[in-house]
Amino acid sequence: MTKRWDYLHEKISHHLQFIYADVVTNTPIGVLATELMNTIGLNQEDDIVIPEPHQNYWDEQDIVMITYGDSVINEHESPLFTLFRFLHTYCKNTVNKVHILPFFPFSSDDGFSVINYSSVNESLGTWSDVHRIAAEYGLMFDLVINHCSSRSMWFDNFIKGEGPGSDFFLTADPTADLTDVTRPRTSPLLRETETANGTQHVWCTFSHDQVDFDFKNPKVLITFIQIIKHYIDNGAKLFRLDAVAFLWKIIGTKCINLPQTHEVIRLMRTLIEHVDPSIIIITETNIPNRENLTYFGNANEAHAIYNFSLPPLLVNTMVTGDCTYLKSWMMSMPPAQNGTTYFNFIASHDGIGLRPAEGLLSDEEIGTLVQSMQNFGGRISWRSSEHGQQKPYEINITLFDAMQGTVKGPDKFQVDRFLCAHAMMLGMEGIPGLYIHSLLGTSNDYDKVANTGQNRSINRKRWDYSELESQLDSPYSQHHKVLTRLSQLIRIRKAQEAFHPNATQFTLQLGPSLFGYWRQSLNRRQSIFCISNVTDEEQSILLSDLNLIGTDNWIDLITRDQIEDVLGFVQLKPYQTVWLSNMDYEEYRKSQ
């Protein structure tokens, strides 16, 4: 073999030696490395692309929309075709990447209990529908890597004791001490299952319909590399590694964030980037902030990590009118080195996770936040703490309804508060992700909660396309107002080089009522001061506190107002955001 092939083979072998150091396997490491390379399509020298380190395969143009395949439906056409039509009609100039949540056959958890990884759920459409979207948008696929459905062929074979998958699943002795295991749910960890080989106790991190894989078996790893190859061939440009923090388990540990888990991600990164360096890996690790940051590795693991601490901190800021906690967190966040970035979001198909706020918000603050969200119609999902106490794990509410008011109760500023929250997120270091129901200003869906019995259904409305069209065409509807104004913000953002995901960011000290940060483009030509009034009262900024360069021309990119006096004051209405940029008016007008 050639030098390039040998180098890559040696690198993959190094990953495998670490992963399986304490595991007895029947396959030699070198043989396994060759099989993994062949599985992903790296069979010879010409197949191997050498990635440049620390490359940013993203810029200020990148906006991701998060959606289910059937968030918008229309009679007599597949939901994935309807989604394409919605994107083409309403998101053409704003969104360029789409995360379609698991669109495979499933048995529960709205797609995250996968029955078959290689086919499209017939109720959503076909691979042709997926390809149609992939031809115009960068597609993010979910790699549901920790578990699959108990109704999968693999688990059927596990029960039979023969066939593919019969040895894919993790079991444990029910008498073992499992008290240290981190649990995101309150269901029993082990599922008693009768099999051809006797009674087995299968590990189920999330639910008894979601049975955990045993990655100590190299066949599981090989199978997932096959799945990755299949997804790349069908248009995947981004991979979201679902619940990946739980991948490797060792009894006697917390069974989360183990070194082997990190090494598996590094191995996947190595394989994928030698096929196509522009494919992005994003880890979905809903865990405390300090632990989440470790998934960057040294720019050799995840390209991007979900900024899970942002949603609870930002919502807390908006309902209390005090940005102290958000500001402290932002100051503590290390700049992402080139080749890595944050994935920013403030709403998703899940609720507002509270574990990422641990150590950032006090128990009292979390209690107040939970109570406020319940007052706005939200539901709470619970988990058991290490001491068996019930603690809030997640707030289930649409972001639009979360912005109904403050700790004082509902008020008239819902739309303004909602847009302010997005303006704050859109300007931050990182790639923005917007949930479809945030773009549409969707309210809590209590009927779906009643029908499913699941709290998370509150934020998973299925829109009828004709009804949605009618709402979006009505200038007085909340949906029209939200989509129109959010789209305007996004278009402004995409035109600013200072909003590159890796552009410099510096947190401003403007007191608890004004949340501000400074962004500077990578070439240092453009500066933007992003300042938001997070209260329900007018606030003023003394511009001399910002140290605007007097020889530059300054303009608010949002209102188009020119700054005449860099030593004067700017008045901010309740929940108003300004993006002050050193760009003269004519230059700004040409950019629009």
Side-chain angles (χ1 to χ4, degrees):
M1 282 295 176
T2 61
K3 186 175 181 181
R4 186 184 297 182
W5 196 95
D6 288 341
Y7 163 77
L8 182 56
H9 187 271
E10 184 179 346
K11 186 173 183 180
I12 292 166
S13 297
H14 178 75
H15 290 306
L16 293 169
Q17 284 162 359
F18 184 93
I19 294 165
Y20 295 109
D22 299 321
V23 178
V24 177
T25 64
N26 296 323
T27 308
I29 291 296
V31 173
L32 180 56
T34 300
E35 186 167 0
L36 290 173
M37 290 176 67
N38 293 341
T39 298
I40 205 165
L42 301 173
N43 299 295
Q44 55 191 2
E45 176 84 358
D46 291 345
D47 298 327
I48 298 171
V49 179
I50 299 299
E52 278 197 51
H54 302 287
Q55 286 295 300
N56 297 323
Y57 293 100
W58 46 79
D59 61 25
E60 60 274 12
Q61 296 281 324
D62 288 313
I63 305 286
V64 180
M65 188 185 81
I66 306 161
T67 182
Y68 280 102
D70 60 356
S71 291
V72 186
I73 57 174
N74 197 31
E75 199 174 4
H76 307 310
E77 67 185 21
S78 69
L80 286 172
F81 181 83
T82 306
L83 174 61
F84 174 78
R85 196 141 64 89
F86 168 79
L87 286 163
H88 194 74
T89 305
Y90 294 105
C91 304
K92 192 70 175 172
N93 298 317
T94 51
V95 169
N96 69 339
K97 290 181 167 53
V98 181
H99 173 201
I100 306 178
L101 291 153
F103 49 83
F104 318 106
F106 70 97
S107 56
S108 65
D109 201 17
D110 280 355
F112 287 93
S113 185
V114 179
I115 293 175
N116 184 335
Y117 285 80
S118 62
S119 62
V120 176
N121 188 335
E122 289 181 359
S123 69
L124 297 178
T126 66
W127 279 115
S128 294
D129 292 309
V130 175
H131 299 159
R132 184 183 296 110
I133 299 172
E136 294 195 25
Y137 300 89
L139 266 192
M140 188 192 302
F141 284 43
D142 273 287
L143 192 67
V144 185
I145 195 169
N146 179 70
H147 51 261
C148 72
S149 170
S150 65
R151 289 173 49 194
S152 64
M153 180 195 72
W154 291 336
F155 197 67
D156 283 345
N157 289 342
F158 169 79
I159 292 171
K160 294 174 188 173
E162 60 182 17
S166 60
D167 53 356
F168 277 16
F169 298 96
L170 182 63
T171 60
D173 182 343
T175 64
D177 184 2
L178 303 174
T179 54
D180 286 341
V181 176
T182 299
R183 299 301 314 287
R185 307 277 170 85
T186 55
S187 58
L189 176 63
L190 300 182
R191 164 191 162 140
E192 187 175 306
T193 305
E194 296 303 323
T195 76
N197 296 317
T199 302
Q200 301 284 338
H201 294 86
V202 181
W203 197 289
C204 299
T205 298
F206 289 89
S207 79
H208 281 193
D209 186 45
Q210 294 166 295
V211 285
D212 283 32
F213 292 112
D214 183 2
F215 271 85
K216 293 185 181 72
N217 179 355
K219 290 182 193 173
V220 177
L221 178 60
I222 293 167
T223 298
F224 269 93
I225 299 305
Q226 290 171 341
I227 293 167
I228 288 171
K229 174 69 161 63
H230 179 59
Y231 290 173
I232 292 172
D233 290 345
N234 281 284
K237 291 298 182 185
L238 304 94
F239 283 98
R240 175 186 182 270
L241 304 190
D242 177 65
V244 70
F246 299 95
L247 180 142
W248 199 274
K249 289 92 170 173
I250 298 175
I251 291 175
T253 72
K254 292 182 180 295
C255 297
I256 187 171
N257 305 323
L258 295 183
Q260 293 89 340
T261 293
H262 286 280
E263 199 67 32
V264 169
I265 299 169
R266 290 179 186 137
L267 168 64
M268 290 179 170
R269 162 87 177 251
T270 297
L271 287 165
I272 291 170
E273 70 182 2
H274 283 85
V275 172
D276 182 348
S278 69
I279 291 175
I280 296 167
I281 296 172
I282 304 181
T283 49
E284 187 266 337
T285 41
N286 192 353
I287 51 179
N289 192 57
R290 186 182 296 257
E291 298 167 25
N292 194 22
L293 288 167
T294 64
Y295 283 86
F296 277 142
N298 186 28
N300 61 350
E301 203 165 325
H303 295 90
I305 59 172
Y306 273 73
N307 227 339
F308 273 109
S309 296
L310 180 58
L313 290 174
L314 198 148
V315 173
N316 177 73
T317 293
M318 304 313 289
V319 298
T320 62
D322 185 337
C323 66
T324 302
Y325 292 99
L326 178 63
K327 184 168 57 179
S328 296
W329 164 78
M330 195 166 180
M331 289 170 62
S332 72
M333 292 295 281
Q337 60 178 306
N338 284 330
T340 67
T341 190
Y342 294 105
F343 185 72
N344 294 327
F345 72 108
I346 48 178
S348 74
H349 65 290
D350 288 338
I352 300 166
L354 294 174
R355 283 209 74 213
E358 292 174 9
L360 301 172
L361 292 176
S362 67
D363 287 346
E364 183 180 359
E365 287 282 334
I366 290 175
T368 300
L369 178 60
V370 165
Q371 185 60 59
S372 297
M373 294 301 101
Q374 287 177 311
N375 292 343
F376 298 152
R379 305 286 200 267
I380 307 300
S381 296
W382 301 86
R383 70 178 181 90
S384 296
S385 71
E386 294 176 2
H387 305 293
Q389 298 171 310
Q390 292 289 290
K391 298 190 71 173
Y393 171 71
E394 183 178 81
I395 300 168
N396 303 114
I397 192 169
T398 68
L399 187 65
F400 187 74
D401 277 358
M403 298 290 104
Q404 283 179 50
T406 68
V407 292
K408 296 178 287 189
D411 59 28
K412 63 181 181 181
F413 296 114
Q414 184 174 13
V415 172
D416 292 332
R417 187 181 290 110
F418 179 81
L419 289 161
C420 178
H422 280 91
M424 290 160 69
M425 185 267 285
L426 284 168
M428 287 181 182
E429 175 189 1
I431 298 171
L434 291 99
Y435 188 37
I436 187 171
H437 292 304
S438 292
L439 277 171
L440 298 176
T442 305
S443 295
N444 292 335
D445 190 340
Y446 299 111
D447 289 341
K448 192 163 187 181
V449 174
N451 290 335
T452 65
Q454 300 294 322
N455 286 344
R456 284 179 167 178
S457 297
I458 203 168
N459 194 18
R460 298 179 180 181
K461 180 180 174 67
R462 190 174 293 153
W463 275 101
D464 175 78
Y465 192 72
S466 58
E467 178 194 356
L468 180 60
E469 275 188 314
S470 175
Q471 291 290 333
L472 293 178
D473 289 344
S474 170
Y476 301 105
S477 78
Q478 69 192 47
H479 314 290
H480 174 90
K481 290 175 184 176
V482 165
L483 182 61
T484 301
R485 291 177 63 184
L486 256 183
S487 297
Q488 178 199 19
L489 275 176
I490 292 168
R491 285 193 293 269
I492 295 169
R493 180 209 191 271
K494 291 175 69 173
Q496 316 310 318
E497 57 187 7
F499 284 150
H500 186 287
N502 293 85
T504 298
Q505 178 172 286
F506 182 81
T507 310
L508 303 175
Q509 303 301 318
L510 302 171
S513 300
L514 295 170
F515 179 68
Y517 50 92
W518 169 68
R519 302 294 309 277
Q520 185 183 54
S521 60
L522 296 172
N523 59 19
R524 300 190 178 185
R525 283 198 299 247
Q526 186 186 27
S527 286
I528 303 177
F529 289 87
C530 307
I531 303 162
S532 298
N533 177 2
V534 299
T535 76
D536 56 6
E537 297 178 354
E538 193 169 287
Q539 304 287 334
S540 62
I541 313 167
L542 180 59
L543 292 177
S544 60
D545 289 343
L546 303 182
N547 293 319
L548 303 184
I549 298 173
T551 54
D552 286 352
N553 295 304
W554 294 88
I555 187 171
D556 174 16
L557 298 171
I558 298 173
T559 63
R560 305 188 182 190
D561 291 340
Q562 296 182 70
I563 305 300
E564 303 293 346
D565 180 5
V566 296
L567 300 178
F569 286 87
V570 169
Q571 299 296 124
L572 264 65
K573 298 173 185 175
Y575 305 107
Q576 182 183 350
T577 294
V578 292
W579 287 343
L580 304 179
S581 176
N582 57 339
M583 178 187 291
D584 66 39
Y585 185 76
E586 286 303 313
E587 184 182 352
Y588 173 77
R589 191 175 60 78
K590 289 175 185 175
S591 73
Q592 297 305 294

